[in-house]
Amino acid sequence: MKHLSFFYPCYFLLLAGILTCSSCRKKSDGGNPEPVNYISLINTLSLDGVPLDSFEYNNRGKLTKSWHYNAKEKSYNKYIEYIYGNNGTATGYNLFLNETGIFLRRVQGTTITTGSKTTIYTESFVPDGTSMGKGADQILANEAGQVIMHGTRDTVVLRDHVKGSAKRVYYQNLTYNNEGLKFAGSHYYITDTWWGPSTQEDTEITFGYTDNPNHMYRLVAGDPVMRMYLSTYQYLIAGPLCLSATSTVINNAPPIRVTYTYTYDRSNQWKEMIINYPADDSTPAHTARYTATYKRIDIK
């Protein structure tokens, strides 16, 4: 069974998590307590005991770089650096791949925002820096900075070097409640291409939450572009509360219910998250066990 992501197709395979807390200290003159803000951020993430990602941050708690581990090569073979605007929200990224010991930029992402509409442009490069082509994706956001639509209902014509061209339609609508993302419904259609037959898929996902705060959500709160960059890992960014379950219906088939269980440390940060997947026609029920380590950064 594939791990379900509510953004499909997904262009950004990366992840970060962030948790916040605060303490206080005495002033040097012995006066009233002076608040000290700090955050505990995920330092490393593992999946079923195998390293998955590690993260770097600036002194404002913004994700600046994510490293991605290749289990087969037993090394970090790519990283993504994030770019922010003056208002602190994400405006772009650069993806670097390890090419025979040297990290070279292979993908660049930039954004243009007009009102509630943001277009994310991507450009790919070969190792010598020559452009391989450009693409674009669109999102709409509400006044709270939440993504309410991804893609477009317009038909997009794709180049197909075998069949000449292909037509694709992809869009997704999202709704929210006080707990976080409540519903995501998507439509995907593509005509025959050299890499596959014509496909149509309609997906509806509903989200349930625990009562535990999801401090990681602050990484994407009010930042629809960063939400898209991190969309593969919906279990970390769906809302201000931790997920308890998702229910997915694909093309009116019976729902697929996935549940989430957590183990916390003394600081009320989850140290283990288990995602429980049900059995289907070809795969028995199974789990994905994520473990996290943290580091503290004092906000300046």
Side-chain angles (χ1 to χ4, degrees), residues 68-264:
H68 304 277
Y69 189 82
N70 184 299
K72 183 177 180 180
E73 298 178 0
K74 296 183 179 180
S75 65
Y76 289 94
N77 66 340
K78 65 179 177 180
Y79 71 87
I80 299 170
E81 64 178 11
Y82 303 91
I83 302 168
Y84 297 89
N86 293 333
N87 63 353
T89 59
T91 60
Y93 72 97
N94 291 298
L95 167 66
F96 293 83
L97 297 182
N98 188 345
E99 308 283 352
T100 63
I102 301 175
F103 283 92
L104 300 175
R105 187 180 66 170
R106 297 298 301 273
V107 181
Q108 179 186 43
T110 57
T111 64
I112 294 179
T113 299
T114 304
S116 62
K117 176 182 176 182
T118 297
T119 302
I120 301 174
Y121 296 95
T122 57
E123 184 173 8
S124 302
F125 305 90
V126 297
D128 68 2
T130 303
S131 177
M132 295 176 59
K134 300 180 180 180
D137 200 14
Q138 295 180 359
I139 57 176
L140 293 177
N142 60 19
E143 293 182 355
Q146 298 168 321
V147 178
I148 58 175
M149 185 172 183
H150 170 219
T152 174
R153 295 177 182 271
D154 297 334
T155 299
V156 177
V157 178
L158 306 174
R159 293 182 180 179
D160 188 327
H161 70 275
V162 175
K163 298 192 174 184
S165 65
K167 295 180 179 180
R168 184 190 68 188
V169 178
Y170 172 74
Y171 59 87
Q172 182 181 60
N173 296 311
L174 304 101
T175 60
Y176 300 82
N177 57 20
N178 291 334
E179 295 176 325
L181 180 61
K182 177 182 179 181
F183 174 83
S186 63
H187 173 78
Y188 178 74
Y189 171 75
I190 191 168
T191 58
D192 289 331
T193 64
W194 70 271
W195 61 83
S198 175
T199 300
Q200 179 169 319
E201 185 171 286
D202 291 284
T203 303
E204 295 183 346
I205 307 177
T206 54
F207 299 81
Y209 295 86
T210 68
D211 294 329
N212 297 323
N214 175 26
H215 302 288
M216 293 171 281
Y217 174 72
R218 75 183 301 273
L219 194 64
V220 300
D223 193 341
V225 173
M226 183 57 79
R227 174 179 279 277
M228 293 305 303
Y229 289 170
L230 304 180
S231 61
T232 299
Y233 298 91
Q234 76 272 27
Y235 47 81
L236 292 177
I237 63 170
L241 297 176
C242 291
L243 279 173
S244 63
T246 59
S247 181
T248 304
V249 176
I250 302 175
N251 291 339
N252 296 316
I256 302 169
R257 181 176 171 80
V258 176
T259 60
Y260 303 76
T261 55
Y262 305 87
T263 301
Y264 296 89

